[in-house]
Amino acid sequence: MMTTSQTPTKTILRALAGETLPTPPIWMMRQAGRYLPEYRATRAQAGDFLSLCYNSELAAEVTLQPIRRYGFDAAILFADILLLPQALGMDLWFETGEGPRLSTITKDADLAALKPADAIHDHMAPVYETVRILSRELPSETTLIGFAGAPWTVASYMIAGKGTPDQGPAHALKAENRALFQGIIDLLTASTVEYLSMQVQAGAEVVKIFDSWAGTLQGADFADFALEPARAITVALKERHPGLPVIAFPRGAGERYAGIHAATGADCVALDDGVSAEWAAEHVQKDGCVQGNLASSHMVTGGQALVDETRRIVRAFSKGPHIFNLGHGITPDADPENVTLMIETVRGG
Ligand code: CP3
C-alpha cells in the first residue's frame, strides 16, 4: 500500500497524486468484457457470469486479458457491484440477455433479515483471493483498482430486484418509508467500507466507487444519498489506509460534478460523457485529478471521429492531472481494434 510519505512511480498513482503527466495514463471501464473473444471463452469455461466472479483463478485471468492485449496502465478487479447484496444475504442471479435479478427489500423485516456489515467476509473470500493473485501477477507498472458500488446505486437494485430505467421503486421507497430507506443506505455504507478495506489489505492500490444512478437524485437527495455516503466511505477508508487514492464516479451528475472532490474527499472524479471535457477542465479538474470521458460509442464506430474526439479530450485536460477513460463501460458490440486505435492516439498524439 502507498502512504502519503512515498512518491508513487506508477503513472496512474502519479496522476491520482495530482501530477500533470505529458501523456495521460489509460484504462477503460469494463475493459474485461464480452467484446473480447478471450473473455467469452473464459466465461464459458466458468459456466456463467457469477461463477466467473467467484472463481478466483478465472476472475484474475479475465482481469489480466486486457492488460496483456493492450498494456493498459491499470487493471480493475473483475467482480460486480451486486456481489455485496448477495454477501449481505440477498438472492442474486443473472437472467441471460436481461441482466441482474435480486430478492427485494420492501419492508422493515427485509432489512432486519440481512447480515451485519462485518459479516460479509466469508462470502467475499474468493474476491479477496482474486485481488491477491492479481497483486502477484500484474506487471510492476500496472496499478490494481478495487471497486464497489455506491450505496444509492446498489440500493436501487436491492429495492427493485432488478435494473430499472429510472430507479422508480427506490425513489418511491425513499418517499414512503424514509427510515427503512436510510437504514439500507447506512448498511451499504458500512459494508462497503468493510469490503473495500479488505480489498486494500489484499493488494488493491486504488478504490473506485461506482454511483451509476447518482444523476437521478434531485435537490437535497443528491447531497444526502450520493455525496454523503461517498464522503463517509472515503473518510473511513483513508483513516484505515492513509494515502489510499479514491475515485468517485457520480454518473449523470452534470453541472453538479463541480465541487465533487471537496464534497467527497475523493482524489479523482470520473466523468461520464454528459459533460464536455472543456467545461470539466475548468470546473472540475481545477480541484484535482479527473478521469474520462470519451463516449463508449466510439469503440463501436471507430474511424476519424474516434481519433478526433480522443485528441480533443486529451488536449482539453492537458493542463492538469488526467486519467484517460471512457465515459461509461465499453459495450459488447465494440470492435477490439478501435481500442487499439484509441490507445495509439492517446500515446502517439
Ligand atoms: O469495469 C470492469 O471491467 C470491472 C468489472 C465490473 C463489472 N461490473 C463486470 C460485469 C464492474 C466495475 C461492474 C460494475 C457494475 N455492475 C455497475 C456499475 C458500473 C456501470 O456499468 O454503471 C453496475 C450497475 C453493475 C450491475 C450489472 N452487472 C448489470 C446491470 C449487468 C448487466 C448488464 C450487462 O452489461 O450485461 C452486469 C453484468 C456484468 N458485470 C458484466 C460484466 C463484464 C457482463 C456480464 C457477462 O459477461 O454477461
Side-chain angles (χ1 to χ4, degrees):
M1 196 193 64
M2 196 190 100
T3 65
T4 34
S5 56
Q6 289 167 322
T7 307
T9 51
K10 298 181 181 186
T11 51
I12 295 267
L13 297 178
R14 288 168 63 188
L16 289 168
E19 197 177 325
T20 305
L21 297 165
T23 301
I26 320 176
W27 68 281
M28 222 176 41
M29 281 185 265
R30 291 274 170 98
Q31 62 191 19
R34 285 163 292 179
Y35 74 107
L36 289 179
E38 58 268 36
Y39 170 85
R40 296 196 297 270
T42 309
R43 198 182 76 155
Q45 193 187 338
D48 57 42
F49 172 66
L50 278 181
S51 306
L52 177 55
C53 290
Y54 290 117
N55 182 324
S56 309
E57 291 291 338
L58 295 184
E61 166 58 23
V62 294
T63 307
L64 291 165
Q65 285 168 351
I67 308 304
R68 285 190 207 113
R69 186 190 266 257
Y70 297 116
F72 284 117
D73 296 289
I76 183 159
L77 164 68
F78 189 83
D80 196 85
I81 65 166
L82 299 178
L83 304 186
L84 185 61
Q86 194 177 29
L88 288 167
M90 296 184 71
D91 295 331
L92 171 68
W93 67 103
F94 279 77
E95 293 283 352
T96 314
E98 289 189 41
R101 294 289 180 274
L102 299 90
S103 47
T104 57
I105 299 195
T106 55
K107 53 186 190 306
D108 296 344
D110 299 332
L111 175 62
L114 296 184
K115 292 180 194 166
D118 58 1
I120 60 169
H121 297 309
D122 285 351
H123 183 95
M124 293 300 199
V127 177
Y128 307 144
E129 179 59 17
T130 307
V131 176
R132 277 191 289 271
I133 296 170
L134 287 168
S135 61
R136 280 199 305 271
E137 295 195 359
L138 275 169
S140 59
E141 67 275 16
T142 315
T143 300
L144 178 55
I145 302 175
F147 74 92
W152 158 248
T153 288
V154 177
S156 76
Y157 290 90
M158 292 166 73
I159 294 163
K162 59 182 180 183
T164 50
D166 57 0
Q167 294 67 60
H171 285 290
L173 188 75
K174 169 159 57 65
E176 287 158 7
N177 188 345
R178 189 77 167 193
L180 172 57
F181 179 80
Q182 186 69 56
I184 299 169
I185 296 290
D186 291 346
L187 176 62
L188 286 171
T189 301
S191 53
T192 300
V193 171
E194 294 297 322
Y195 181 41
L196 290 177
S197 186
M198 286 294 273
Q199 290 183 27
V200 173
Q201 282 184 47
E205 299 165 284
V206 175
V207 297
K208 177 167 174 184
I209 304 167
F210 283 85
D211 208 349
S212 304
W213 303 119
T216 69
L217 291 166
Q218 296 299 318
D221 282 351
F222 186 78
D224 293 344
F225 303 121
L227 298 180
E228 174 51 27
R231 190 202 61 79
I233 292 165
T234 302
V235 167
L237 286 172
K238 284 175 178 277
E239 256 169 44
R240 292 190 196 185
H241 310 281
L244 173 73
V246 176
I247 305 173
F249 181 38
R251 191 166 76 92
E255 64 191 21
R256 297 171 297 181
Y257 264 122
I260 298 284
H261 288 93
T264 61
D267 303 86
C268 176
V269 174
L271 303 160
D272 62 71
D273 58 15
V275 291
S276 82
E278 293 76 11
W279 177 87
E282 190 180 336
H283 296 278
V284 190
Q285 195 187 29
K286 70 173 177 50
D287 297 330
C289 187
V290 292
Q291 179 179 281
N293 70 340
L294 182 69
S296 307
S297 57
H298 288 292
M299 296 299 105
V300 181
T301 51
Q304 193 58 40
L306 160 57
V307 173
D308 291 346
E309 276 294 278
T310 299
R311 285 192 183 136
R312 180 181 64 80
I313 290 164
V314 169
R315 199 181 317 118
F317 289 127
S318 63
K319 298 201 169 55
H322 176 218
I323 297 168
F324 195 89
N325 206 304
L326 304 178
H328 200 196
I330 186 166
T331 51
D333 54 346
D335 181 345
E337 290 294 316
N338 290 334
V339 178
T340 306
L341 180 58
M342 172 189 79
I343 295 171
E344 284 173 359
T345 305
V346 172
R347 292 189 177 152

